[in-house]
Amino acid sequence: MSQANTTAASQDELQEMIAEADTGARNPVGTIPKRVLFFVPLAWTLFQLWYASPLPFFFNFFVLNDTEARAIHLAFAMFLSYTAYPTFKSSPRDYIPLQDWFLAFVAAFCASYLYIFYVQLSDRPGDPTTLDLVVSVIGLVLLLESTRRALGPPLMVVACVFIIYTFGGPHMPDVIAHKGASLAKGMYHYWLSTEGVYGVALGVSTGMVFMFVLFGSLLESAGAGNYFIRTAYAGLGHMKGGPAKAAVVSSGLTGLVSGSSIANVVTTGTFTIPLMKKVGFSAEKAGAVEVAASTNGQLTPPVMGAAAFLMVEYVGISYVEVITHAFLPAIISYIALVYIVHLEACKMGLEGMERRVSKTLAQKLLSFVMTILSIIIIGGATYYGLGWIKIVAGAATIYVVSLLLAVSYFALLWFACKVPELPVSHDINELPDLGSTAQAGYYFLLPIVALMWCLTVERLSPSLSAYWATMLLIVIVLTQRPLKGFIRKVGGEEFSFKRGFDEFVTGLVSGGRNMIGIGVATAAAGIVVGTVTLTGIGLVMTEFVEFISGGNLMLILFFTAIISLILGMGLPTTANYIVVSTLMAPVIVDLGAQNGLIVPLIAVHLFVFYFGILADDTPPVGLAAFAAAGISGGDPIRTGIQGFTYDIRTAILPFMFIFNTELLMIGIGTWYHLLVVVVTAVIAMLVFAAATQGYFLVKSRFYETIALLLVTFVLFRPGYFWDKYYPPFVEKPGVELVQIVETMDPGSMLRLRISGETMRGKEFTKSLMLTVGSAQTGVERLDEIGFEVRTEEGRLLVDNVVFGSKAEKMGVDFDQEILVVKTPSKRPPKQLMFFPGLGLLALIYWLQKRRRDLPAAV
């Protein structure tokens, strides 16, 4: 009895931790407050569904522009931050104090001011009235307080520092001083325009993030979370350290639609951590595996903790391109974590749970091949099959696809009813059967298929894609129980429509409450972005970082990584990404260009994002580690340290893809090139995992660990050594630019080194890369790129730049000199370096295998 009470108590503490971090820790007992905290998030969710849908344009009613929608979105978030979150930890949680009611309504009014007085404000741009300024100041102060309540002090402190910098510019040290801003100019910029609080970040939260968070909430409410966990456990539980491997896979599946590492830990950890301890993992290691898996869940497309949608706006590429670039690093990171778990199990001599039916090697191979073929067939049918329907059916495609989805849903639901319902108990005493477990929930994959079809075939916006996928998911949530009751010919509350409706409403309310922190975080991060655009601190940061790093790109990257880790200890991942990428991404790109390295902007943004995520398990703060320790009963600091050691593999990836952009699927031309990149990247990550764990086949000796690290480097960066013997480019004088461009293939990359002067008169040299067009002559191709040239005293100078062109965006400007044109040199492929690397790996394998087999022989 005492153990049950202890378990219940720990569950309550974990739910409270999630509430404090994600949904609000207040749980009032009064009827009115309880209804407010139920109906306001519900109203917020219904508003977001209306805004994301095509219905406003269909009915021509309540049509909102982006700015108006952002104002309403922030009004909901700020109102709920005051009603759902207590002022301090010691403040009452069973009722809402009068002052919080007052602040909530004032905050909602200030946030919605842009919507209420939108026409009047548009008539006086840049000329705020006294009322405008009063509302702006009060709104800014209340936003800072709501940020502190929902997310803790760190983001509030960062925002305050940037506000002080804006108004105290003339009094700052000379190196960062600026002329400052008046109260009217500053408040208009922050609160009454789309440059500050109501900027891109809040727009992404309003337009895209909410729908994906709602999609995840409804999936969880429908039972998909339990299905993913049990399916992963059924498939992997028999392996060495099987429950830990199941934790990694199930956390990855949960992370597909979740933006919270703490929620990931508690959702999957309550199942997996006790099972890991049962097979022999210590409390700290069991918690650390869950922490590493859950934090990495935010790396996994399509949501990536909301960062994927922010990158669409900040980098200027499509959503499909973002998830394409992010896919390979996320996958190899997860594969390596599964391997780390395997190595830990080997070190401790652990075994998995016993399978009910053991398979022969031939049966295992056949099962593996059939699984892979099934995935390929489903993917091909989704992309090409539905794409073919679109060509044939034309405007009637939506009706044909809807009919197909309905038939598929009923067929999969009937198929699911052939096996027993999945239990929701956290205690698993024997290994479930994989076939029947997977069969019980195949229909949960339909909304994900619909989402990917909308994104890749229909090419709809992420918001509209998530809307249609959510509509399908709502149908599933409402109908799955009564339809199962009809098919199984049983009744009762479990199979009633009322139960499905209750789960539907619970999912809607959870979606709204899960968005409180993200809503205020993106708004507060807008203060930082607004400061950058108002004061020009971006240029100051470039010069400052260049000064302290001596222009060394590696030092700049380490500096950025440390900033991301430090800020990430106190900021949510999304806010940390916005702050650091706004300040540091342009710096890395510019200084990389000055060092002759062309760094794609997406690579820099992913670099910042990865280190922001790593902060979630970095002691002493690491809230995910505290949540895992609450389940495992281990020490939270040691859990965080152990989790960070597991995550070192994630820390090297950003450095690798900055210098080898093939890891981001950039510059890959053929399918076999892609295959080589994927295979070598997976091997490199597994070898690095073995090196950091000090264990391959047996415990590694120090020279073997060094050799494994060398193999990792060669496989990740084959060009490092190859370029020293075979330079990748031939440098030709800039005056030959027109003739060289004329001979290049359309779509190939033109690499230039140019020199010029900054606005402050400082000379610079930088490299850049531009895409060659398909025009006939070299002059016409330069026109397509966006600039013209002239020859003057034996030098080639930029004569004209087209506004908004590719050249202008890359920093080409009038009177800059084209110094060098780089053309690809004819050399052996750098992939030949893989052979000595793999040869060294084979040698280490042979040495360790001989050492492992020696005791058996003796």
Side-chain angles (χ1 to χ4, degrees), residues 329-383:
I331 291 301
I332 63 176
S333 182
Y334 262 107
I335 291 173
L337 185 55
V338 172
Y339 184 57
I340 287 173
V341 168
H342 177 75
L343 293 177
E344 288 282 15
C346 290
K347 282 192 273 186
M348 293 184 282
L350 304 180
E351 297 295 334
M353 297 187 75
E354 186 177 350
R355 301 183 76 166
R356 296 180 183 178
V357 180
S358 59
K359 294 183 178 180
T360 63
L361 178 61
Q363 288 174 322
K364 291 178 181 178
L365 289 174
L366 179 63
S367 177
F368 176 76
V369 170
M370 291 303 295
T371 301
I372 297 298
L373 284 176
S374 299
I375 294 172
I376 293 172
I377 290 169
I378 291 170
T382 302
Y383 188 83

Side-chain angles (χ1 to χ4, degrees), residues 545-610:
V545 172
E546 184 181 10
F547 171 74
I548 64 172
S549 66
N552 186 294
L553 185 61
M554 280 302 297
L555 285 178
I556 295 167
L557 292 174
F558 276 116
F559 181 66
T560 305
I562 291 169
I563 290 176
S564 298
L565 282 173
I566 293 173
L567 285 177
M569 289 182 191
L571 304 189
T573 306
T574 307
N576 182 31
Y577 163 70
I578 295 169
V579 172
V580 183
S581 65
T582 301
L583 292 175
M584 298 303 298
V587 176
I588 295 173
V589 172
D590 288 345
L591 296 184
Q594 292 178 28
N595 281 268
L597 178 69
I598 299 167
V599 184
L601 192 56
I602 183 64
V604 180
H605 280 258
L606 284 171
F607 181 94
V608 170
F609 177 59
Y610 266 56

Side-chain angles (χ1 to χ4, degrees), residues 776-819:
Q776 295 297 318
T777 68
V779 172
E780 290 173 343
R781 288 185 171 185
L782 291 179
D783 284 340
E784 283 184 332
I785 294 171
F787 70 102
E788 300 173 359
V789 293
R790 71 178 189 275
T791 304
E792 191 175 288
E793 298 178 358
R795 300 185 305 159
L796 191 70
L797 303 177
V798 177
D799 193 43
N800 185 38
V801 180
V802 178
F803 178 76
S805 65
K806 301 173 189 174
E808 197 249 356
K809 291 178 181 177
M810 292 300 295
V812 178
D813 207 347
F814 297 95
D815 291 334
Q816 289 177 346
E817 182 181 358
I818 312 294
L819 298 175

Side-chain angles (χ1 to χ4, degrees), residues 578-789:
I578 295 169
V579 172
V580 183
S581 65
T582 301
L583 292 175
M584 298 303 298
V587 176
I588 295 173
V589 172
D590 288 345
L591 296 184
Q594 292 178 28
N595 281 268
L597 178 69
I598 299 167
V599 184
L601 192 56
I602 183 64
V604 180
H605 280 258
L606 284 171
F607 181 94
V608 170
F609 177 59
Y610 266 56
F611 279 99
I613 285 175
L614 285 174
D616 274 355
D617 59 9
T618 305
V621 179
L623 292 178
F626 278 86
I631 301 171
S632 69
D635 178 79
I637 300 298
R638 282 194 289 172
T639 300
I641 293 171
Q642 185 68 57
F644 190 74
T645 62
Y646 291 155
D647 268 341
I648 290 175
R649 78 202 187 287
T650 308
I652 71 151
L653 265 176
F655 288 98
M656 292 299 106
F657 61 58
I658 286 286
F659 294 98
N660 180 12
T661 54
E662 288 180 351
L663 295 172
L664 301 178
M665 309 283 196
I666 296 174
I668 295 178
T670 59
W671 68 268
Y672 49 85
H673 186 185
L674 173 63
L675 182 64
V676 170
V677 169
V678 172
V679 170
T680 53
V682 171
I683 295 173
M685 186 53 82
L686 296 181
V687 171
F688 182 75
T692 55
Q693 294 304 304
Y695 194 98
F696 189 24
L697 300 180
V698 294
K699 186 176 180 181
S700 299
R701 290 170 178 164
F702 79 93
Y703 57 84
E704 291 173 333
T705 298
I706 294 171
L708 288 172
L709 291 173
L710 180 60
V711 171
T712 302
F713 186 76
V714 169
L715 294 181
F716 269 137
R717 279 204 64 194
Y720 180 80
F721 298 106
W722 204 245
D723 293 349
K724 295 185 182 300
Y725 295 98
Y726 301 99
F729 300 104
V730 176
E731 295 189 353
K732 296 185 177 181
V735 291
E736 299 179 16
L737 172 64
V738 177
Q739 295 89 335
I740 293 171
V741 171
E742 191 168 326
T743 61
M744 295 178 69
D745 295 329
S748 57
M749 304 309 296
L750 172 65
R751 290 173 169 83
L752 304 175
R753 188 160 73 239
I754 62 175
S755 66
E757 289 187 357
T758 65
M759 297 292 289
R760 300 186 181 187
K762 182 181 178 182
E763 293 186 359
F764 69 88
T765 301
K766 72 175 182 178
S767 299
L768 50 89
M769 186 165 60
L770 300 162
T771 306
V772 175
S774 57
Q776 295 297 318
T777 68
V779 172
E780 290 173 343
R781 288 185 171 185
L782 291 179
D783 284 340
E784 283 184 332
I785 294 171
F787 70 102
E788 300 173 359
V789 293

Side-chain angles (χ1 to χ4, degrees), residues 6 19 84 87 130 177 258 304 322 346 392 394 459 466 468 497 546 549 570 576 667 674 707 788 811 855:
T6 305
T87 310
T130 303
S258 171
M304 297 164 58
V322 169
C346 290
V392 174
R459 297 283 177 170
W468 288 118
F497 178 79
E546 184 181 10
S549 66
N576 182 31
L674 173 63
E788 300 173 359

